[in-house]
């Protein structure tokens, strides 16, 4: 595990699986700018590392993240916020081509909820609480909360959560379609690893192209999305992995994917 100032990184917690753990426990993993820069740089490195196929992002068993660092933002002017250009940091998460799974326990609030939602899947422990409480401190979500939450859970619930700041329990989040699974807190990492392992055993080429296509659904009409999907589908036939996958099926053996 490499220690940065605010996160810990294990590029091989298991073969092909990397782990990033937020590490500001006293501040409930509040996301200050330096921490977000560390996440950005780490994601860039892991995305370019051939030995990594899936990335897990967690805050550990107590708390995921209680939001952006309120103490750091409290006195900022609008123009300072604009000039800091925090969006470019957050955009790197979205730009990461390998799948990222958020493993969430405890609070995932404000920027913490947005960080989890920017990941591709969310596994939550029974103690997880999701919310966008910015309204209670006189502001509103600024890193995708009004958009990603609405797409995930629908307008009525998103509007309620954003306008009241109410938290969702893990079970409610599961029912609303925000997360993939709820697990006991002590099994959070194991269950997340199980999902990561499953994805890491697939063709990395196909995984990358499929992730891109699913994400395209949010930004396109159905016809555009179907066309995009079809092109990525054809592209998988340029990979050795597709030949290996189909040969292995016919020969009744397990495929050995290489990512080429
Ligand atoms: N920032 C800074 N410190 C925080 C914090 C936060 N978000 N949340 C907690 N802490 C600190 C507390 O100040 C306290 O520090 P000390 O007093 O011990 O020094 C310590 O963590 C423990 O917190 P509590 O004593 O409050 O613990 P409790 O268990 O009583 O309460 C709580 C837990 C999570 C309910 C409570 O701490 C809370 O309400 N926290 C604030 C939640 C919140 O409002 N979050 C949204 C923040 S706004 C953007 C990107 C991101 C964002 C916006 C734009 N761009 C790219 C432009 C995001 C904005 C936000 O997230």
């Amino acid at each position: 595990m490499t220690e940065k100032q605010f996160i810990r990184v294990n590029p091989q917690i298991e073969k092909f699986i990397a782990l990033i753990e937020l590490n500001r426990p006293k501040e409930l993993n509040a996301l200050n700018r330096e921490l977000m820069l560390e996440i950005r740089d780490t994601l860039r490195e892991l995305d370019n590392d051939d030995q990594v196929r899936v990335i897990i992002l967690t805050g550990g068993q107590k708390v995921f993240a209680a939001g952006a660092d309120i103490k750091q933002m409290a006195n900022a002017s609008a123009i300072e916020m604009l000039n800091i250009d925090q969006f470019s940091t957050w955009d790197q998460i979205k730009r990461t081509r390998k799948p990222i799974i958020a493993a969430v326990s405890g609070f995932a609030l404000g920027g913490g909820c947005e960080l989890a939602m920017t990941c591709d899947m969310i596994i939550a422990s029974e103690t997880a609480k999701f919310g966008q409480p910015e309204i209670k401190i006189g502001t509103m979500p600024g890193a995708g909360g009004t958009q990603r939450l609405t797409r995930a859970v629908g307008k009525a619930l998103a509007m309620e959560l954003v306008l009241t700041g109410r938290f969702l329990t893990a079970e409610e989040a599961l029912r609303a379609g925000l997360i993939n699974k709820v697990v006991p807190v002590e099994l959070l990492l194991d269950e997340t690893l199980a999902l990561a392992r499953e994805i890491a055993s697939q063709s990395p080429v196909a995984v990358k192209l499929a992730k891109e296509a699913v994400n395209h659904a949010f930004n396109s009409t159905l016809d555009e999305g179907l066309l995009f999907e079809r092109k990525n589908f054809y592209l998988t036939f340029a990979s050795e992995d597709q030949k290996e996958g189909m040969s292995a099926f016919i020969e009744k053996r397990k495929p050995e994917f290489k990512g080429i």
Side-chain angles (χ1 to χ4, degrees):
M1 204 70 132
T2 325
E3 289 267 345
K4 302 219 175 201
Q5 194 179 353
F6 298 113
I7 62 175
R8 285 195 283 234
V9 183
N10 186 341
Q12 287 289 310
I13 183 164
E14 265 185 30
K15 194 173 180 205
F16 296 137
I17 303 172
L19 179 80
I20 303 176
E21 185 170 353
L22 311 180
N23 187 27
R24 280 191 90 197
K26 283 199 201 109
E27 294 81 8
L28 308 186
N29 289 336
L31 308 167
N32 62 14
R33 281 173 215 129
E34 297 76 11
L35 182 153
M36 289 309 299
L37 287 172
E38 288 184 3
I39 291 184
R40 181 196 67 184
D41 295 345
T42 303
L43 284 176
R44 254 188 217 149
E45 282 164 28
L46 297 175
D47 213 24
N48 288 323
D49 182 342
D50 287 346
Q51 292 310 304
V52 175
R53 293 186 180 179
V54 180
I55 300 162
I56 296 174
L57 179 64
T58 190
Q61 290 194 353
K62 291 211 173 106
V63 62
F64 184 70
D69 191 323
I70 298 171
K71 293 166 193 167
Q72 200 172 48
M73 319 187 263
N75 294 316
S77 71
I79 301 306
E80 274 162 2
M81 292 298 279
L82 177 77
N83 287 342
I84 292 163
D85 193 22
Q86 288 191 57
F87 286 110
S88 68
T89 317
W90 286 74
D91 279 352
Q92 177 60 39
I93 306 164
K94 200 180 67 182
R95 272 199 301 272
T96 304
R97 301 171 74 199
K98 292 173 185 169
I100 310 177
I101 308 173
V104 175
S105 204
F107 294 115
L109 305 178
C113 187
E114 290 167 317
L115 182 60
M117 290 192 294
T118 311
C119 297
D120 300 302
M121 283 154 283
I122 303 175
I123 304 288
S125 87
E126 290 158 345
T127 66
K129 289 207 161 42
F130 297 87
Q132 298 290 158
E134 292 90 338
I135 203 81
K136 293 182 171 176
I137 52 170
T139 181
M140 60 173 279
T146 62
Q147 303 303 301
R148 290 201 174 91
L149 186 64
T150 307
R151 282 167 167 79
V153 307
K155 178 181 161 184
L157 184 57
M159 195 67 92
E160 179 194 333
L161 297 177
V162 169
L163 298 190
T164 67
R166 176 170 88 78
F167 302 159
L168 284 184
T169 63
E171 280 301 334
E172 281 179 297
L174 182 67
R175 276 200 301 277
L178 183 64
I179 65 176
N180 295 74
K181 193 171 185 181
V182 182
V183 300
V185 68
E186 63 281 4
L187 294 182
L188 180 64
L189 185 59
D190 286 349
E191 292 276 353
T192 311
L193 278 169
L195 176 61
R197 213 174 285 136
E198 176 85 26
I199 297 166
S201 73
Q202 317 297 338
S203 156
V205 178
V207 165
K208 206 175 276 176
L209 292 171
K211 166 174 166 165
E212 199 180 49
V214 172
N215 280 333
H216 207 76
F218 292 106
N219 288 322
S220 64
T221 61
L222 180 60
D223 281 349
E224 274 166 12
L226 290 171
L227 188 61
F228 187 89
E229 177 193 77
R230 203 169 310 148
K231 297 270 166 71
N232 276 12
F233 168 75
Y234 294 148
L235 195 51
T236 61
F237 282 72
S239 71
E240 287 183 19
D241 280 352
Q242 173 270 327
K243 301 288 174 275
E244 165 65 9
M246 293 196 182
S247 305
F249 174 80
I250 292 163
E251 292 159 18
K252 299 188 187 302
R253 60 175 174 81
K254 263 188 86 176
E256 275 288 321
F257 293 122
K258 297 200 181 99
I260 48 177

